[in-house]
Amino acid sequence: MSDFTIAIHGGAGTILRSDMTADLEKAYTDALEQALIAGYALLEKGISSVDAVKAAVTSLEDCILFNAGRGSVFAADGSQEMDASIMDGETLMAGAVSAVRNIKNPVELAYAVMTKSQHVMLNGQGAYDFALSQAIKTEKDDYFFSSFRYDQWKQLQGTDEAALDHNVSVKDMPAGQADKKFGTVGAVALDKNGNIAAATSTGGMTNKKWGRVGDSPIIGAGTYANNRTCAISCTGHGEPFIRAVTAYDVSCLMEYKGLSLHEAMHIVVHDKLLKIDGEGGMIGVDAKGNVAMIFNSEGMYRGMKCSDGRNEVSIYK
Amino acid sequence: MSDFTIAIHGGAGTILRSDMTADLEKAYTDALEQALIAGYALLEKGISSVDAVKAAVTSLEDCILFNAGRGSVFAADGSQEMDASIMDGETLMAGAVSAVRNIKNPVELAYAVMTKSQHVMLNGQGAYDFALSQAIKTEKDDYFFSSFRYDQWKQLQGTDEAALDHNVSVKDMPAGQADKKFGTVGAVALDKNGNIAAATSTGGMTNKKWGRVGDSPIIGAGTYANNRTCAISCTGHGEPFIRAVTAYDVSCLMEYKGLSLHEAMHIVVHDKLLKIDGEGGMIGVDAKGNVAMIFNSEGMYRGMKCSDGRNEVSIYK
């Protein structure tokens, strides 16, 4: 058990060692550690879990490797539409944005919705206008576009043609994006005051059409936090996660059936989600300092850093 | 207990007898009865609960009196953005649309998302493009705009100036729209095969800004259906309903704590929602034929029609 702790994920899915180079694996591991430190440093100073998850997710959004913020994948029309949400387990206040463009850190905008508006969820151009009114940092398309393409190309230089072909043929996606299919990022944290929080951010599905919204900006599906139970951030195939009201289901299993965090997460990820083809995973903390990272996919970029000394970053099962 | 049953709502909020004329009350009552009959007639023929809730909500969307479809309120920029969702309790499949414009029946579009796409939630222009690909009926602005204004004016002819002023000053809204603040519509039904379903549709909040999305298109918040527990459609101040994951909470209280439909709905509406200033209500059915309509506001436009002979339409407490 820890007095304070943070856990993060950088997406789940078919993450295969065969698609990975040592350099790329190190880049992912370093980025996860950097995000953990960004959040943990705040917790150590006694700053709130809400600020800690925001800092960790901001760090992941700024990294080109993950499908959120700067590294967001491209929708079918060539645009990058991002979703994010955040929830404070102490107050049950929440903020979310869907289908926003050109916002440097969508999680910052979700936080502004939670703290500076009367609303929980803002969408599209309206959310962008609200961002401007709150002086939320915006970036032009090339911040998201060119750097991403360039870095992606750089990362892939070392891999062999067969691996690329395999990705393309099996996943029906652009080379190197197979492992980004569910590349949402998220964080959960417990602070020194015993308050928990969760945040999630994503660029959605590659080649998504029709303004599709996944579970990430949906309070109860992709994100949920309640001091009485747990803080949860999900990553995976968004549609089953919405239908299963995944994050809140963990909370209800704890509150109404008395299950532990680990038991509740296990049931939701390995039983309930699998029954409706829901591939992915989640991270969770509770107010007692328990932490869990559970997934039913091949891998999940993940890590935790706890005041009891546990400090780990992993990718595969 | 009924073998099949349908319940509907046309929104909850501060509905005062003093703001109502006999003619207007009759218009609301007639419209609710018409929607009940539209759904019930299908159930009687053995058609599914999904089709029945869709038919009932379509009927309410086509009526200028309710804040959904044709009668949707205006956002701050003069546009009408609508949200809707539908869920099938047998399959746990769901469909939702948010921030759509010019769609005659948003619930038909939500149904198309559920049955014809790989997704659960589509948004904005993308959802509109999907609608066109599915030959979903669209209407020009004047279908929503001019008729609404005209009918509103007609309905208000009989009311006195003081009532109008009262509405304007107290509610800070255009005359006659005070009772439309939470004017979402919805339906839940149980069919002869023992399957339940729920659907919700709304024009959102009058003068809404920043692309605000409420609970209506959020599976788990405004709408939820699961044969094992209940089918729920909510109406009220959307933000607390999202934070409380209202519809799914009723389901969890039934599934995990063994509460009855009525007990679970009562706790959520009169305890959990009130604690976070969540004004509004909900309708629900379960697979055993229980039905309930519960609200913590002054009134809720509502009705039920059941195979055991119960047939009621009400507005006030």
Side-chain angles (χ1 to χ4, degrees), chain A residues 91-93 118-123 126-127 210-213 218 239 243 248-249 252-253 256-257 272, chain B residues 91-93 118-123 126-127 210-213 218 239 243 248-249 252-253 256-257 272:
Chain A
T91 61
L92 301 184
M93 293 296 285
Q118 300 298 313
H119 302 306
V120 170
M121 189 171 193
L122 301 184
N123 172 73
W210 299 322
R212 177 260 189 189
V213 176
I218 310 288
E239 280 71 13
R243 293 164 53 208
Y248 188 58
D249 201 26
C252 288
L253 284 165
Y256 302 145
K257 291 200 85 170
K272 293 197 156 200
Chain B
T91 60
L92 301 185
M93 294 297 284
Q118 300 297 311
H119 302 306
V120 170
M121 191 172 192
L122 301 184
N123 171 73
W210 299 322
R212 177 260 188 188
V213 176
I218 309 289
E239 280 72 11
R243 293 162 55 207
Y248 188 59
D249 201 26
C252 288
L253 284 165
Y256 302 146
K257 289 202 86 169
K272 293 198 159 198

Side-chain angles (χ1 to χ4, degrees), chain B residues 100-159:
Chain B
V100 296
R101 297 183 184 188
N102 299 102
I103 301 296
K104 180 171 182 284
N105 293 106
V107 72
E108 296 269 8
L109 182 53
Y111 177 82
V113 172
M114 176 171 78
T115 55
K116 302 284 176 58
S117 86
Q118 300 297 311
H119 302 306
V120 170
M121 191 172 192
L122 301 184
N123 171 73
Q125 182 63 40
Y128 183 83
D129 294 342
F130 175 73
L132 295 187
S133 80
Q134 299 296 318
I136 296 287
K137 198 165 182 187
T138 58
E139 293 283 356
K140 293 190 177 154
D141 286 351
D142 61 359
Y143 168 80
F144 302 91
F145 186 86
S146 306
S147 304
F148 175 84
R149 289 293 189 200
Y150 179 71
D151 281 66
Q152 187 177 54
W153 169 75
K154 275 218 306 184
Q155 298 292 354
L156 288 170
Q157 267 189 305
T159 64

Side-chain angles (χ1 to χ4, degrees), chain A residues 41-228:
Chain A
L42 299 184
L43 295 173
E44 211 165 23
K45 287 181 199 158
I47 293 170
S48 76
S49 53
V50 171
D51 286 319
V53 296
K54 182 158 65 78
V57 169
T58 297
S59 174
L60 294 165
E61 284 176 340
D62 289 344
C63 174
I64 200 76
L65 293 170
F66 302 104
N67 176 19
R70 192 178 188 192
S72 291
V73 298
F74 288 85
D77 63 357
S79 71
Q80 286 158 307
E81 290 194 335
M82 302 171 284
D83 307 323
S85 62
I86 189 165
M87 188 162 183
D88 178 340
E90 182 189 10
T91 61
L92 301 184
M93 293 296 285
V97 290
S98 59
V100 295
R101 298 183 185 187
N102 299 102
I103 302 295
K104 179 170 182 284
N105 293 108
V107 73
E108 296 268 8
L109 182 53
Y111 177 81
V113 172
M114 175 170 77
T115 54
K116 302 285 176 58
S117 85
Q118 300 298 313
H119 302 306
V120 170
M121 189 171 193
L122 301 184
N123 172 73
Q125 181 63 40
Y128 183 82
D129 294 340
F130 175 72
L132 295 187
S133 80
Q134 300 296 319
I136 297 288
K137 197 164 183 187
T138 58
E139 292 283 357
K140 294 191 176 155
D141 286 352
D142 61 359
Y143 168 80
F144 303 91
F145 186 85
S146 306
S147 304
F148 174 82
R149 288 292 189 202
Y150 178 70
D151 280 67
Q152 187 179 54
W153 168 76
K154 275 218 308 188
Q155 298 291 355
L156 289 169
Q157 270 189 305
T159 65
D160 58 272
E161 192 72 10
L164 295 184
D165 287 343
H166 176 73
N167 279 358
V168 173
S169 60
V170 174
K171 298 293 160 197
D172 202 21
M173 285 186 175
Q177 293 198 11
D179 67 332
K180 288 179 152 284
K181 190 177 175 189
F182 306 138
T184 301
V185 308
V188 293
L190 163 69
D191 63 32
K192 285 183 178 175
N193 290 317
N195 295 318
I196 58 178
T200 310
S201 180
T202 190
M205 289 175 82
T206 299
N207 206 36
K208 67 183 172 189
K209 288 166 77 173
W210 299 322
R212 177 260 189 189
V213 176
D215 63 313
S216 300
I218 310 288
I219 298 301
T223 302
Y224 186 73
N226 186 337
N227 275 4
R228 296 175 59 187

